[in-house]
Amino acid sequence: MSPFPETAFDVVVIGAGAAGMMCAATAGQRGRRVLLVDHYRKLGEKIRISGGGRCNFTNLHASPANYLSRNPPFCRSALSRYTPQDFIALVDRHRIAWHEKTLGQLFCDGSATQVIELLRAECDAARVKWRMPCEVRGVAREGSRFLIETAAGPVAATSLVIATGGLTVPAIGATPFGYRVAEQFGLAVVPPKPALVPLSLAPETLARYGDLSGVSIDAEVSCRGARFREAILFTHRGLSGPAILQASSYWQDGPAADPLHVNLLPGVDIRAWLGEHRRSKALPATLLAQRLPKRFAVAWCDAHGFVKPVAELPDRSIGEAARGLGDWPVHPSGTLGYNKAEVTLGGVDTRGLSSKTMEAIAVPGLFFIGEVVDVTGHLGGFNFQWAWASGHAAGEAV
Ligand SMILES: Cc1cc2nc3c(=O)[nH]c(=O)nc-3n(C[C@H](O)[C@H](O)[C@H](O)COP(=O)(O)OP(=O)(O)OC[C@H]3O[C@@H](n4cnc5c(N)ncnc54)[C@H](O)[C@@H]3O)c2cc1C
């Protein structure tokens, strides 16, 4: 990846992550002369750390319902034109072994670096040029071209694609560059915030539940109309696990924040089950420990004052326990922020972009793809599928 002497391209893509490499390869394969520029020293670092090192590269069930955006229908067109099956075909062509883990989530059998190598090979086959690591100092429009000022000198392009991602994990190269470019050209940006992120609990709640670090419960978590049946995990700072990460994308911070509603016994008729044990001399925590981790059952019963044998509890308390187990309200105090988040909610407002091509409606030749756009997937391979689909849509149009 030595500095490249040419200075005029059909397409310059800034950001060589998932979306940027997909776009560059697609455009290059159409015969466009493409330059990929990235300031970070290692290629595809976000892909390398994804999916616990195995990259959950797509989800068989990806549909617009799996994405959050101020403009929900926006993602439909790109997702329908580059599907999970299209990416699977690419993975198969590169002989990368994969498996379905759960809920349609596809992972590499081996390592996420295989996906990076796939994208690098696709770019090389399409004769994409690289400037990396190379800082981008600014971009400007000059007539019908864009001028890109880089640390290795200026380059010009007919099309400029911004694929610089969101703000998560700044230690591996995330910057707000894409949002600044959008603003420079008069596009609106939906305020970014961390999503798919562990949540913290206030000290008084941690005093009750903080000792449960490592305890996991199969639960159903609801927040603002969204509902996720997966594991919740107690940590020393609060709550994590897939159901909490999913709900975090819907949870709104601030004094008027809604609580999360946790059904601790999903699929169980709790009232009927407690009724069956109405005459039990056991403590409620002992009974609950039949269906929940013992340490959690004890902490939850202590917190709610259910400390007498079940048979001695008044009917009112049994009713309260049933309601509380089915709808345990949890008030997070905040999120663990961009260092621990998987994605960034918000981004370039899609109302200023073409859903077919990702081009800025008011700025011909300027494109935004991937996570920098206000389209955020659920946990489970949906964010990469958006990166592939939006990158492909722009790659076909530049
Ligand atoms: C720990 C973790 C695990 C994840 N696991 C999964 C998973 O298993 N499945 C899934 O679907 N999603 C996963 N995600 C989310 C997924 O990685 C992202 O949604 C996806 O990488 C976004 O692709 P992108 O190309 O838009 O941005 P990125 O992949 O973030 O790429 C952006 C690129 O732009 C470059 N860049 C940034 N600023 C500048 C600048 N100023 N100048 C030049 N270059 C710049 C960066 O160096 C980077 O290479 C995970 C995220 C994290 C943090």
Side-chain angles (χ1 to χ4, degrees):
M1 295 183 199
S2 57
F4 183 68
E6 288 176 46
T7 55
F9 293 86
D10 296 319
V11 186
V12 168
V13 180
I14 304 180
M21 284 195 275
M22 173 58 86
C23 176
T26 307
Q29 282 158 14
R30 289 176 46 238
R32 314 296 279 157
R33 288 172 306 139
V34 184
L35 176 70
L36 249 176
V37 188
D38 199 297
H39 69 154
Y40 196 62
R41 66 198 147 77
K42 284 164 118 185
L43 180 64
E45 199 55 1
K46 199 66 91 46
I47 301 173
R48 193 185 60 76
I49 64 168
S50 69
R54 288 223 158 88
C55 187
N56 177 192
F57 55 79
T58 192
N59 191 298
L60 293 174
H61 311 307
S63 84
N66 301 110
Y67 294 88
L68 290 85
S69 171
R70 285 234 178 130
N71 180 17
F74 178 82
C75 61
R76 184 177 303 276
S77 171
L79 288 173
S80 69
R81 284 177 297 126
Y82 193 87
T83 65
Q85 294 307 329
D86 289 318
F87 196 75
I88 293 167
L90 187 58
V91 166
D92 287 344
R93 212 159 60 236
H94 285 257
R95 299 177 188 283
I96 299 173
W98 53 270
H99 62 278
E100 180 181 349
K101 196 168 167 193
T102 172
L103 305 169
Q105 301 167 7
L106 304 192
F107 288 76
C108 299
D109 288 356
S111 152
T113 56
Q114 294 174 290
V115 175
I116 304 172
E117 288 315 315
L118 174 160
L119 293 165
R120 187 206 297 264
E122 288 290 311
C123 288
D124 288 347
R127 297 169 192 272
V128 171
K129 306 294 183 194
W130 303 81
R131 281 192 184 182
M132 188 185 163
C134 179
E135 189 194 331
V136 179
R137 296 187 172 145
V139 300
R141 194 164 163 83
E142 198 190 72
S144 59
R145 313 185 302 170
F146 291 89
L147 289 182
I148 300 101
E149 196 62 57
T150 81
V155 285
T158 317
S159 298
L160 174 60
V161 182
I162 305 298
T164 47
L167 298 175
T168 57
V169 203
I172 57 167
T175 72
F177 180 87
Y179 310 140
R180 299 294 96 82
V181 173
E183 286 161 357
Q184 176 188 341
F185 286 96
L187 275 78
V189 174
V190 176
K193 64 179 209 143
L196 298 181
V197 62
L199 298 171
S200 53
L201 293 172
E204 57 276 17
T205 318
L206 271 185
R208 288 198 185 280
Y209 298 106
D211 278 356
L212 300 179
S213 183
V215 169
S216 167
I217 298 175
D218 172 32
E220 186 175 77
V221 181
S222 314
C223 186
R224 302 172 73 87
R227 187 183 296 267
F228 299 96
R229 167 88 190 261
E230 285 179 80
I232 65 173
L233 174 71
F234 288 85
T235 71
H236 64 286
R237 293 180 66 184
L239 290 171
S240 187
I244 294 295
L245 298 180
Q246 300 277 32
S248 74
S249 299
Y250 291 83
W251 183 70
Q252 294 202 337
D253 214 340
D258 292 328
L260 304 180
H261 296 274
V262 181
N263 181 347
L264 292 161
L265 295 172
V268 176
D269 182 340
I270 304 171
R271 197 171 279 271
W273 178 61
L274 292 179
E276 284 165 26
H277 296 84
R278 191 66 188 92
R279 315 241 163 269
S280 169
K281 295 195 171 58
L283 289 173
T286 310
L287 183 60
L288 283 188
Q290 291 177 9
R291 292 183 181 266
L292 289 165
K294 171 94 183 159
R295 282 159 63 206
F296 174 77
V298 170
W300 192 86
C301 287
D302 278 355
H304 291 80
F306 300 126
V307 288
K308 284 193 198 156
V310 177
E312 292 176 29
L313 291 175
D315 285 344
R316 181 176 43 80
S317 296
I318 297 288
E320 274 169 20
R323 272 193 302 282
L325 290 164
D327 182 359
W328 179 38
V330 174
H331 296 266
S333 58
T335 79
L336 295 202
Y338 287 116
N339 285 328
K340 299 288 176 196
E342 268 198 22
V343 281
T344 305
L345 205 62
V348 179
D349 193 327
T350 59
R351 287 168 291 195
L353 304 178
S354 155
S355 63
K356 300 238 161 8
T357 62
M358 307 291 132
E359 189 173 18
I361 293 160
V363 192
L366 179 63
F367 297 73
F368 292 86
I369 57 173
E371 199 181 311
V372 74
V373 176
D374 173 34
V375 173
T376 307
H378 287 166
L379 188 74
F382 301 102
N383 285 294
F384 279 133
Q385 187 55 37
W386 171 246
W388 316 137
S390 59
H392 192 265
E396 294 265 278
V398 287

